[in-house]
Amino acid sequence: MIVCCANQCAYCGSSIVSGQRWVREKIYDPALNGSAPSYHRYHAEPFALQEGSCWEKYQMEQEMARTTAYAG
Ligand SMILES: [Zn+2]
């Protein structure tokens, strides 16, 4: 059995199967200085009956966190 987390969605935690669209986000971590860059992957297409994809929801949460920080 081959286990690899490379195709796991960082937002919902479920795996991204081949054929599904996904988005890659580079992770900037100073602790990883000198080592190979790592990436987060997110579903780029919404699941059935859902309004936004994991990527869209993730970006919305980031935006909300920024807004809250400025407001506070
Ligand atoms: Zn997902």
Side-chain angles (χ1 to χ4, degrees):
M1 189 165 113
I2 300 170
V3 178
C4 181
C5 58
N7 289 323
Q8 193 179 22
C9 175
Y11 185 85
C12 68
S14 40
S15 55
I16 301 168
V17 299
S18 66
Q20 281 183 311
R21 285 172 51 220
W22 52 273
V23 178
R24 188 176 73 169
E25 179 193 52
K26 192 171 182 178
I27 304 164
Y28 297 99
D29 190 348
L32 296 173
N33 193 22
S35 60
S38 50
Y39 299 91
H40 277 156
R41 286 168 173 78
Y42 302 90
H43 290 107
E45 284 178 296
F47 295 116
L49 305 179
Q50 290 196 3
E51 287 187 12
S53 64
C54 291
W55 174 240
E56 285 167 348
K57 288 186 210 162
Y58 169 72
Q59 289 199 307
M60 238 181 313
E61 283 183 6
Q62 295 291 300
E63 195 59 46
M64 234 134 63
R66 255 197 303 274
T67 310
T68 308
Y70 278 124

